[in-house]
Amino acid sequence: MNVFVVGAGRVGRALLILCRESGHTITGSYNLTEVGAKRTTEITGIPTQYGATLDVSDNTELLWITTSDEHIASAAHQVTIQNPHLPKTAWVHCSGALAADVLREAVPSAWSVAGAHPLQSFVNPQRAADAAKSAAWFVEGEPDALSRVTTFLLSLGVLPRPLPAHLRPLYHVAGVLASNAAIALFSAAASALTMVGLTRNDAVTSLLPLWQTTIDNVAEKGLPEALTGPIARGDVSVVRAHLSAMELVAPELISLYRELGIRTLQLASEANRTDPQKLNEIAQLLKD
């Protein structure tokens, strides 16, 4: 399939690598700045336009808009202004939170629009491209664009999952909690270790094996069976000791601990392997 990428930043670079490695023809790419365009070319080997030049090849079948969410409509508008005679092309944005309608507002009705988003993070372009081949992709939009993006994803060995447009923000909440919020939680755990004498780097290094085995447990056993720890064991005295320690030296962590503890109680109750009386005692501690 002939593919053009507008917005060759983190997501766009990964997509370009993915297209190249999967045998698709890249008809071009575009980045707003010269620095960004040169960096994209260095990373992907794909010549990248920038600035006022945005010429989309007439044989483009799938045009990806991979800018940040707030720039999707303006980027699409720029393409339509500079390429008014572009043949019928499917337009797809890569936002997790926005529906395909954000493109519909900027793209003439002759062109079909869709949204396609992989449930993954994008930091290292090559790693992200590799992950995209096994990630869960969620799609919604108009029939022609959906057909083309589905064909594209099937070529990667990915079966896209339909996502109603009005539920995209909630879907994105799931991604934020599993990724961004998980890093914030990891940061909180690291800060607790710095209070017992570790440097931040040492704290991160010390926590990584625990984090990895936790992910492995979820992958192997699922929820709620992967749950471990004092609440899962019904260890009231340990939870009480945690709260006392935080009151003394880390009061800023208490509200987070209580909130997550209540969620952990729900999982422990669902697992049905802990004395309900113990769980009730822990619940009372977390509410006090």
Side-chain angles (χ1 to χ4, degrees):
M1 185 172 290
N2 296 332
V3 177
F4 192 102
V5 176
V6 176
R10 284 184 175 183
V11 177
R13 289 165 187 161
L15 185 59
L16 287 167
I17 294 172
L18 182 64
C19 290
R20 185 190 64 205
E21 293 181 347
S22 303
H24 294 282
T25 300
I26 300 169
T27 60
S29 65
Y30 171 85
N31 195 296
L32 183 62
T33 68
E34 181 179 5
V35 172
K38 288 182 177 179
R39 182 62 177 153
T40 296
T41 300
E42 290 173 3
I43 292 173
T44 67
I46 307 299
T48 301
Q49 304 171 34
Y50 63 89
T53 303
L54 208 177
D55 295 324
V56 179
S57 173
D58 286 350
N59 65 345
T60 298
E61 299 171 275
L62 197 58
L63 194 153
W64 288 86
I65 305 290
T66 59
T67 64
S68 58
D69 288 9
E70 65 267 28
H71 293 132
I72 289 174
S74 60
H77 182 69
Q78 183 180 355
V79 174
T80 60
I81 292 299
Q82 297 192 30
N83 301 269
H85 304 298
L86 193 65
K88 190 174 183 181
T89 300
W91 297 56
V92 183
H93 73 60
C94 216
S95 167
L98 300 180
D101 287 350
V102 69
L103 282 175
R104 181 74 288 151
E105 297 168 5
V107 175
S109 58
W111 295 321
S112 183
V113 300
H117 184 265
L119 199 55
Q120 66 174 90
S121 60
F122 292 83
V123 178
N124 177 285
Q126 183 63 61
R127 189 178 302 130
D130 293 340
K133 298 171 186 176
S134 58
W137 284 75
F138 291 80
V139 299
E140 60 90 17
E142 298 169 354
D144 183 58
L146 270 182
S147 175
R148 294 197 195 189
V149 77
T150 296
T151 298
F152 173 83
L153 293 174
L154 288 174
S155 75
L156 309 179
V158 172
L159 181 63
R161 307 179 187 201
L163 177 66
H166 70 284
L167 293 179
R168 286 189 77 94
L170 184 59
Y171 153 80
H172 202 240
V173 167
V176 167
L177 289 175
S179 179
N180 314 145
I183 291 177
L185 179 59
F186 192 88
S187 174
S191 72
L193 281 185
T194 63
M195 294 177 193
V196 301
L198 275 67
T199 66
R200 192 178 196 186
N201 285 341
D202 285 343
V204 168
T205 300
S206 299
L207 287 167
L208 280 174
L210 175 59
W211 207 15
Q212 185 60 59
T213 53
T214 299
I215 293 171
D216 291 343
N217 289 341
V218 173
E220 179 183 346
K221 297 181 178 296
L223 296 174
E225 287 75 13
L227 184 66
T228 62
I231 293 179
R233 296 191 301 268
D235 203 331
V236 181
S237 62
V238 170
V239 174
R240 184 181 291 112
H242 288 172
L243 292 167
S244 297
M246 286 185 288
E247 286 175 359
L248 288 174
V249 296
E252 69 277 10
L253 296 179
I254 292 177
S255 61
L256 177 63
Y257 183 92
R258 290 185 189 277
E259 187 71 27
L260 291 174
I262 291 170
R263 187 74 183 185
T264 305
L265 278 170
Q266 295 171 359
L267 283 171
S269 178
E270 185 182 346
N272 197 30
R273 60 174 187 259
T274 309
D275 182 350
Q277 179 59 38
K278 296 292 186 183
L279 294 181
N280 287 335
E281 291 181 47
I282 292 173
Q284 191 58 51
L285 282 175
L286 294 173
K287 292 176 183 177
D288 289 344

